[in-house]
Amino acid sequence: MVKFGVGQGLRRVEDVRLLTGHGRYTDDIKEEGEVFGFVLRSPYAHADILSMDLEEARRAPGVLGVYSHEDLTADGVQNIPCLTPIPGKNGSTPIMPPRPALARGRVRHIGDPVAFVVAETLDQARDAAELIFVDYADLPANVLSGEAMQQGTPQIWGEAPGNLCLDWEQGDAVVTDAALASAHKIVKLELINNRIVVNAMEPRGVLASYDSETDQMTLVSGSQGVFSLRNQLAEHIFQVPPEKIRVQTQDVGGGFGMKIFAYPEQVLSMFAARRLQRPVRWTGDRSESFMSDSQGRDHITTLEAGLDENGKIIGLKVSTIADLGAYLSNFGPYIPTLCGSHLLCGVYTIPTVYVEVKCVFTNTVPVDAYRGAGRPEAAYAIERLIDYAAREIGVTPDEMRRRNFIPPESMPFNTSTGITYDSGDFAEIMRRAQKAADWDGFEARRAAAKAQGKLLGLGMSSYIEACGGIGQEEARIKVKSDGGITLFIGTQNNGQGHATAYAQIIGDRLGLEPEQIEMRQGDTNELTSGGGTGGSRSVLMGGMAITGASEKIVARAREIAGHLLEAATDDIEYNAGTLSIAGTDRRVSLADVAKAAETGAGLPPETAEAVKDGIDETSNFTETPAKTYPNGCHICEVEIDEDTGVAKVRRYVIYDDFGTVINPLLAAGQVHGGTAQGIGQALLEHTVYDPETGQLLTGSYLDYCMPRADDIPEIELTMVEDMPCTTNDMGMKGAGEAGCIGAPPAVINAVVDALAPFDVKHVDMPATPEKIWRIMNANTRNQVAAEV
């Protein structure tokens, strides 16, 4: 048995390299003769481009090229595609307007790229951009999704009347309406899932080059998967064979969904590198990130639940307006529809659910996947509704959940939204979390806080999410002459610790220690395919591909060892890098076998030919397995200062059911980070555009409030492993996005509970000090007026 196999808390093997400054991020990779690109962006949210004069900029010192959409069109460069044409009601197709890399006649959001300047230095490119004269005719803008479909609202696209991109539905409206009509009580709640700027630690960056001899373009860029990016660049944008584009990604400083997609700057840099035959670098600054990176969430949702006389939900109707921004990002329509809506039933036995989503255009940055991608939105909606309904009928939030939970004996459970939960005991997870959080002792703590001038609130959420089972994955394992291995895999690490988790899986399969395993990712020249990273799929899909490749390595090594030991392959046993004849002490090491493969010594011709390039095996995990359903219970205590309205999370307890945990340290890190992001959304973060001008009012860290260390409490996390997933051989359920799914409803439920003395039933995210202060003071004034 290896020292650090599956289930062990191995510290991340990549951390020494990263912490000692040996990381290789996009900006660390240099090319001889590289030049610098700068994007001129629109200062208007909505305007016609009447004319654009580039000549003075082209004559500026150091400038090599200044490009508009006309240059890209002349070179045959196509638009950035939306890859998810989700059908709407009655099979209707979504409105999918073009998204050019440079604006074509009209700009549609603040920061929309207008021109691209390339110069010998970044300062020269920036200075030249200031010489570009653009004559704009300002147009009325709409940045409010709730008003997008109203009559008289400015139209973003002529082909999308009422700014409607897609009208989508799921479930049976007639059955659901009938259930609501027969309900003992109807509970209705409207809520907002606020827009988020992703704010990865490493801004987006690009280094593009072109080899005229091979006619190959190379793109180095922080991404969440090189193959998806290469395929759309080749097929849709540059329309060249895939082998003519090489995409490389090395270390990535955070992605959170935002770095999955193709962006104008990648297209522009590649175009310019080919035109100039010089490497072109573009690195976004933080201001550009705010107005060009895809943003997240931004839903307005109305939920209507029918309850029977016992408080059980017998029907649920959900209507959402989802803002997709001015253009469709790669997966824009998919996120608020198919990606998350199946989970609107949560962990509850709701017999019928009808969902309607209207995706709309606004004059804002495109919206796409942000950590959790649709599942946090669904969890927030149903978990707020459960708490709201509990208060409406006069029961506690835990009792409301208990009455509606799917019982463990019903597993596997087919939900009314069309998915199947394979395992889980939601009531037991909640019970354990309540015990750890001292739920029963809360009222005493509330009274003590009140004596200190503080309001204390207690909130919970019982979340579930769907992950894994997306696409396919490829793993290639090559044995080195020293008996170690190199793993090539198509997922992409963004800081999650892939090298560590994969080393532990390989350690279990091949009996090797982490230091014997080298991982290589992020190069379309080293693999033939790869699904990338997203939806908590990497360890499940990558792990299964690794398992397949490991089995092939063992089979090949046994075959070679049989020749070396002059024994039948069936008599060869493999154990922790050693191959031996069963029942004897005759053995060879994996290193011996690798050397024999390289030289062919002692091998028959046909075997020598098969392994002439060494022991090198590939496995594609191509079946689409059932998704996994990690779930858990978050319990949060929030303290509110009555004088200032400041809300602080004072205690946070999580019980998570992740099935088999590959590495508890890595899983805990993922939960902690996701929970911090969820607390940030619930209390602090909010992307705000001026409704009059469309200007981005929260365009820097001076205006956009990111969570700091003192905003996040110690997180008391317990991972339950006695309910393994039944749909994959590893028994795992995924952990990467769980924290940000469970946190927002738990925090807001706690805020609402703290404000209960003011007769508050709902508070929209973010629950900022100003918002809470105004709620308390408005309600206090109303109460005084009523008493007078």
Side-chain angles (χ1 to χ4, degrees):
M1 178 179 177
V2 294
K3 183 178 180 182
F4 293 110
V6 168
Q8 299 298 308
L10 173 64
R11 291 186 178 275
R12 301 195 332 167
V13 299
E14 53 267 73
D15 281 354
V16 172
R17 178 176 63 85
L18 297 174
L19 293 173
T20 55
H22 292 87
R24 291 275 290 169
Y25 298 89
T26 302
D27 220 37
D28 294 318
I29 300 165
K30 308 299 179 184
E31 289 273 1
E32 184 177 351
E34 65 182 44
V35 293
F36 297 84
F38 181 80
V39 178
L40 178 68
R41 301 184 182 277
S42 169
Y44 295 95
H46 200 196
D48 283 328
I49 300 175
L50 302 180
S51 64
M52 184 161 53
D53 186 349
L54 309 177
E55 293 310 311
E56 188 175 358
R58 286 172 172 154
R59 295 192 298 268
V63 170
L64 301 170
V66 181
Y67 307 110
S68 70
H69 76 87
E70 294 174 344
D71 298 289
L72 274 68
T73 301
D75 250 28
V77 178
Q78 303 298 307
N79 299 317
I80 297 171
C82 172
L83 302 175
T84 51
I86 305 297
K89 292 179 179 177
N90 302 315
S92 61
T93 56
I95 305 299
M96 301 173 66
R99 187 187 183 187
L102 290 174
R104 190 178 296 128
R106 179 174 289 186
V107 292
R108 290 178 168 84
H109 68 84
I110 293 294
D112 207 352
V114 173
F116 190 58
V117 182
V118 181
E120 295 286 354
T121 70
L122 178 58
D123 285 342
Q124 289 173 333
R126 194 186 303 269
D127 290 344
E130 294 184 2
L131 301 176
I132 297 174
F133 176 74
V134 185
D135 187 9
Y136 293 100
D138 195 10
L139 297 170
N142 169 51
V143 296
L144 301 175
S145 54
E147 298 181 5
M149 294 182 291
Q150 293 179 7
Q151 188 173 3
T153 297
Q155 297 295 289
I156 316 303
W157 295 97
E159 58 264 47
N163 293 313
L164 183 63
C165 166
L166 172 66
D167 190 358
W168 181 87
E169 65 180 348
Q170 174 183 279
D172 192 319
V174 174
V175 171
T176 303
D177 284 342
L180 294 178
S182 68
H184 176 72
K185 182 177 180 61
I186 298 290
V187 175
K188 190 172 183 179
L189 172 66
E190 181 178 297
L191 52 82
I192 294 172
N193 207 297
N194 44 319
R195 182 183 281 234
I196 297 296
V197 174
V198 177
N199 281 311
M201 185 177 291
E202 177 201 22
R204 290 188 297 111
V206 176
L207 177 60
S209 58
Y210 174 70
D211 186 332
S212 58
E213 292 186 5
T214 62
D215 189 32
Q216 184 182 59
M217 290 181 281
T218 297
L219 172 69
V220 179
S221 187
S223 78
Q224 290 180 234
V226 292
F227 285 97
S228 173
L229 191 52
R230 183 208 55 187
N231 292 345
Q232 62 178 303
L233 287 167
E235 179 183 350
H236 297 281
I237 298 172
F238 289 101
Q239 297 184 326
V240 297
E243 61 270 17
K244 292 299 182 181
I245 293 180
R246 180 183 188 180
V247 179
Q248 294 176 294
T249 295
Q250 295 197 25
D251 291 319
V252 181
F256 309 116
M258 176 267 292
K259 289 180 182 172
I260 294 174
F261 321 118
Y263 286 94
E265 297 83 2
Q266 295 162 330
V267 177
L268 296 172
S269 299
M270 293 174 71
F271 155 79
R274 185 172 66 177
R275 173 73 71 90
L276 299 171
Q277 299 198 18
R278 295 276 297 275
V280 176
R281 178 183 299 281
W282 173 85
T283 302
D285 61 28
R286 191 58 66 182
S287 294
E288 287 183 288
S289 295
F290 273 90
M291 58 184 175
S292 67
D293 294 355
S294 68
Q295 297 175 354
R297 315 297 191 231
D298 206 345
H299 293 182
I300 301 173
T301 297
T302 301
L303 300 105
E304 193 172 1
L307 310 181
D308 69 12
E309 60 277 7
N310 297 314
K312 284 184 64 68
I313 301 175
I314 60 172
L316 175 63
K317 193 170 186 178
V318 184
S319 299
T320 292
I321 298 173
D323 193 342
L324 300 184
Y327 302 96
L328 296 185
S329 181
N330 285 170
F331 301 103
Y334 172 70
I335 303 306
T337 55
L338 289 173
C339 193
S341 292
H342 290 93
L343 292 170
L344 279 164
C345 55
V347 292
Y348 309 109
T349 57
I350 305 175
T352 179
V353 178
Y354 175 71
V355 184
E356 181 181 60
V357 180
K358 295 184 185 298
C359 299
V360 299
F361 294 110
T362 61
N363 291 115
T364 61
V365 174
V367 177
D368 210 309
Y370 169 59
R371 194 172 190 173
R375 287 101 77 201
E377 294 92 317
Y380 180 69
I382 186 63
E383 288 303 297
R384 273 298 298 128
L385 177 69
I386 289 287
D387 260 48
Y388 184 85
R391 292 185 184 277
E392 288 290 285
I393 65 173
V395 301
T396 61
D398 57 322
E399 177 59 26
M400 185 70 183
R401 287 171 172 80
R402 203 171 286 112
R403 293 181 185 186
N404 284 278
F405 276 143
I406 300 165
E409 59 270 18
S410 296
M411 295 296 175
F413 183 83
N414 298 317
T415 72
S416 58
T417 56
I419 56 179
T420 300
Y421 300 155
D422 66 287
S423 59
D425 188 338
F426 312 124
E428 174 62 15
I429 291 292
M430 184 181 74
R431 186 193 66 79
R432 296 184 195 182
Q434 286 181 291
K435 182 178 179 181
D438 187 18
W439 182 275
D440 292 339
F442 173 73
E443 289 304 328
R445 297 194 295 278
R446 192 202 296 268
K450 181 64 177 175
Q452 300 295 320
K454 309 289 186 182
L455 300 172
L456 202 63
L458 182 64
M460 67 160 47
S461 69
S462 293
Y463 80 91
I464 192 166
E465 73 142 321
C467 61
I470 304 171
Q472 64 177 39
E473 202 50 70
E474 177 179 304
R476 173 184 163 212
I477 295 178
K478 182 175 178 62
V479 182
K480 297 187 282 189
S481 59
D482 62 0
I485 68 161
T486 300
L487 166 68
F488 302 87
I489 190 155
T491 60
Q492 182 60 55
N493 183 54
N494 291 175
Q496 301 95 329
H498 285 192
T500 305
Y502 291 152
Q504 291 180 267
I505 295 171
I506 291 171
D508 266 16
R509 301 308 189 267
L510 297 181
L512 302 179
E513 300 295 344
E515 58 270 17
Q516 296 177 274
I517 301 163
E518 175 192 6
M519 183 189 73
R520 295 180 65 85
Q521 293 179 311
D523 192 337
T524 55
N525 277 16
E526 293 186 341
L527 285 167
T528 59
S529 68
T533 291
S536 298
R537 68 180 296 280
S538 293
V539 174
L540 173 61
M541 302 296 289
M544 295 302 292
I546 288 169
T547 296
S550 298
E551 290 171 353
K552 290 184 177 182
I553 289 291
V554 171
R556 182 69 75 182
R558 289 176 63 228
E559 177 191 359
I560 296 171
H563 292 298
L564 298 180
L565 296 172
E566 299 180 337
T569 300
D570 289 347
D571 292 334
I572 300 298
E573 294 180 337
Y574 180 91
N575 183 31
T578 299
L579 298 108
S580 59
I581 301 175
T584 76
D585 60 359
R586 295 184 59 202
R587 66 192 63 196
V588 290
S589 68
L590 187 58
D592 295 330
V593 169
K595 290 171 186 175
E598 290 177 2
T599 64
L603 303 180
E606 63 275 12
T607 302
E609 176 64 23
V611 296
K612 64 182 180 181
D613 295 323
I615 303 178
D616 192 341
E617 301 291 343
T618 297
S619 176
N620 284 280
F621 188 57
T622 55
E623 23 177 321
T624 304
K627 289 184 181 295
T628 72
Y629 296 97
N631 61 89
C633 182
H634 287 221
I635 296 179
C636 172
E637 286 191 23
V638 167
E639 180 186 88
I640 295 176
D641 187 296
E642 291 191 71
D643 294 328
T644 65
V646 172
K648 285 286 187 182
V649 179
R650 293 304 185 197
R651 192 174 183 197
Y652 209 99
V653 173
I654 303 175
Y655 260 68
D656 279 322
D657 170 13
F658 293 148
T660 300
V661 177
I662 303 297
N663 183 319
L665 287 179
L666 293 184
Q670 290 295 296
V671 174
H672 292 168
T675 302
Q677 287 176 292
I679 292 172
Q681 180 178 8
L683 296 180
L684 306 167
E685 299 183 52
H686 192 196
T687 309
V688 181
Y689 293 87
D690 186 329
E692 298 298 323
T693 64
Q695 291 292 326
L696 179 60
L697 301 180
T698 51
S700 75
Y701 289 153
L702 291 175
D703 308 297
Y704 186 95
C705 188
M706 291 282 284
R708 302 180 303 181
D710 63 349
D711 294 310
I712 310 300
E714 179 181 353
I715 295 171
E716 303 169 46
L717 169 65
T718 302
M719 287 175 279
V720 177
E721 295 192 64
D722 53 5
M723 306 170 201
C725 182
T726 64
T727 60
N728 65 79
D729 291 342
M730 292 190 290
M732 64 165 293
K733 296 183 179 179
E737 294 156 306
C740 69
I741 295 172
V747 174
I748 294 299
N749 286 342
V751 169
V752 172
D753 184 57
L755 295 175
F758 296 88
D759 197 30
V760 171
K761 295 183 178 180
H762 178 66
V763 178
D764 274 318
M765 298 187 290
T768 61
E770 179 189 8
K771 183 182 292 184
I772 293 173
W773 185 88
R774 289 184 182 279
I775 288 171
M776 290 191 297
N777 280 271
N779 285 21
T780 299
R781 288 195 298 272
N782 292 340
Q783 181 179 344
V784 170
E787 291 173 352
V788 171

